[in-house]
């Protein structure tokens, strides 16, 4: 463990729920970073309670939260074992944030981009299949809002987000929309996801969005899917920062 008993000096009047949130957050990070590896047992209740400065009741509730997130498996008589990463609920906000925040290699963001690209591609294709004239107008207005703010970074970024959320909503695929929103919004909170700026960023982004709108207007499902996937993947590749170990090798 990174800290010794007594380091966590929380006020005695702090509600147990707040203590539990702190414990869960710390344990999630220890598991995500591999400081407590997959397959390893968590320390017994006594040492863990002392380490975090909380009661055993708070600790048990915290471990229960970890179990709900798929991070641990509680086995009677064996203890609490860290689950394999394939069992983790990576759409859980706490787990996903920890994965992204500790993603020094950018591997998680690479995977997120692939998943997001495939889901949004399918949703763009669905919109192209059955969009109405009114829905096409909404999409065109979202693109126009991007054009009008292309010289204002923050406003342009927000208009970009609105464009993608509009496509998601109009797809009528609630499951894909829900999953993609969770991934997208958490990624947007990471400076690593925004990456580095590059020359012609506004122009290339507008051109790629325009291809999506054009395909949807023509009801060309395959073109809409391809345009959306290509945009999401290539835009990430253009702004992707080199990971620290890669920079050291140059």
């Amino acid at each position: 463990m990174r800290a010794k008993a007594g380091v966590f000096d929380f006020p005695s009047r702090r509600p147990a729920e707040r203590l539990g949130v702190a414990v869960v957050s710390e344990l999630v990070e220890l598991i995500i970073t591999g400081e407590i590896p997959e397959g390893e047992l968590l320390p017994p209740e006594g040492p863990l309670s002392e380490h975090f400065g909380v009661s055993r009741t708070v600790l048990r509730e915290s471990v229960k939260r970890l179990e709900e997130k798929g991070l641990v498996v509680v086995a009677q008589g064996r203890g609490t074992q860290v689950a394999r990463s394939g069992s983790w609920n990576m759409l859980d906000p706490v787990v996903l944030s920890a994965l992204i925040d500790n993603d020094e290699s950018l591997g998680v963001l690479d995977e997120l981009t692939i998943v997001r690209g495939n889901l949004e591609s399918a949703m763009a294709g669905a919109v192209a299949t059955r969009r109405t004239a009114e829905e096409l107008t909404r999409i065109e207005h979202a693109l126009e809002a991007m054009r009008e703010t292309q010289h204002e970074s923050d406003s342009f970024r927000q208009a970009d987000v609105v464009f993608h959320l509009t496509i998601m909503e109009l797809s009528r695929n609630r499951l894909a929309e829900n999953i993609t929103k969770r991934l997208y919004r958490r990624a947007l909170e990471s400076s690593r996801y925004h990456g580095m700026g590059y020359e012609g960023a506004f122009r290339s982004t507008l051109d790629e969005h325009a291809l999506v709108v054009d395909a949807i207007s023509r009801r060309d499902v395959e073109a809409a899917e391809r345009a959306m996937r290509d945009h999401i993947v290539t835009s990430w590749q253009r702004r992707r920062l080199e990971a620290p170990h890669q920079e050291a090798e140059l």
Side-chain angles (χ1 to χ4, degrees):
M1 305 289 283
R2 292 181 301 176
K4 296 181 180 179
V7 169
F8 298 91
D9 186 20
F10 297 119
S12 58
R13 65 179 180 277
R14 181 173 293 186
E17 297 79 25
R18 295 275 300 280
L19 291 175
V21 169
V23 173
V24 169
S25 179
E26 175 72 9
L27 285 172
V28 167
E29 185 165 338
L30 289 170
I31 292 171
I32 293 299
T33 58
E35 292 191 45
I36 306 179
E38 295 178 30
E40 185 169 315
L41 293 174
L42 295 186
E45 274 188 4
L48 269 184
S49 297
E50 185 178 354
H51 169 76
F52 287 110
V54 298
S55 68
R56 294 196 179 204
T57 299
V58 170
L59 182 65
R60 289 185 195 119
E61 285 300 312
S62 299
V63 171
K64 185 178 180 181
R65 298 288 86 78
L66 292 181
E67 188 176 23
E68 291 170 351
K69 298 175 189 299
L71 294 176
V72 300
V73 177
V74 180
Q76 193 68 30
R78 285 180 48 208
T80 302
Q81 185 178 40
V82 175
R84 56 180 297 274
S85 58
S87 299
W88 300 350
N89 179 6
M90 295 186 182
L91 293 179
D92 178 273
V94 178
V95 175
L96 184 56
S97 292
L99 283 166
I100 293 175
D101 291 344
N102 292 282
D103 182 27
E104 294 295 337
S105 72
L106 301 183
V108 172
L109 288 174
D110 287 338
E111 294 173 2
L112 183 151
T113 299
I114 292 172
V115 174
R116 181 193 159 206
N118 286 329
L119 288 174
E120 284 203 51
S121 169
M123 286 187 279
V127 175
T129 299
R130 55 175 175 266
R131 60 85 180 162
T132 64
E134 291 77 13
E135 290 171 341
L136 178 59
T137 298
R138 278 188 62 188
I139 298 169
E140 290 172 337
H141 284 170
L143 178 61
E144 186 58 31
M146 291 179 64
R147 288 198 179 101
E148 292 173 354
T149 59
Q150 62 181 290
H151 300 298
E152 306 166 22
S153 295
D154 290 341
S155 297
F156 182 82
R157 183 175 294 168
Q158 183 56 42
D160 190 347
V161 171
V162 169
F163 179 93
H164 285 277
L165 295 181
T166 299
I167 297 292
M168 293 180 205
E169 177 189 339
L170 296 179
S171 74
R172 301 183 183 87
N173 186 329
R174 292 176 298 172
L175 182 58
E177 178 184 3
N178 186 280
I179 293 172
T180 308
K181 279 182 178 179
R182 287 171 183 259
L183 295 174
Y184 190 29
R185 285 172 170 161
R186 288 289 162 178
L188 289 172
E189 295 173 1
S190 169
S191 61
R192 292 191 184 103
Y193 186 73
H194 295 296
M196 58 184 178
Y198 57 91
E199 188 175 353
F202 289 125
R203 186 71 264 159
S204 62
T205 300
L206 280 170
D207 289 346
E208 290 165 9
H209 283 71
L211 288 175
V212 175
V213 176
D214 177 65
I216 290 174
S217 70
R218 293 185 288 105
R219 301 184 189 275
D220 189 330
V221 175
E222 185 177 339
E225 291 176 345
R226 182 172 59 252
M228 182 63 85
R229 184 186 298 107
D230 288 350
H231 160 61
I232 290 172
V233 173
T234 58
S235 64
W236 164 243
Q237 291 172 343
R238 284 194 298 263
R239 68 181 188 272
R240 188 187 192 278
L241 296 167
E242 291 294 332
H245 72 279
Q246 294 173 316
E247 293 176 340
E249 292 170 357
L250 298 179

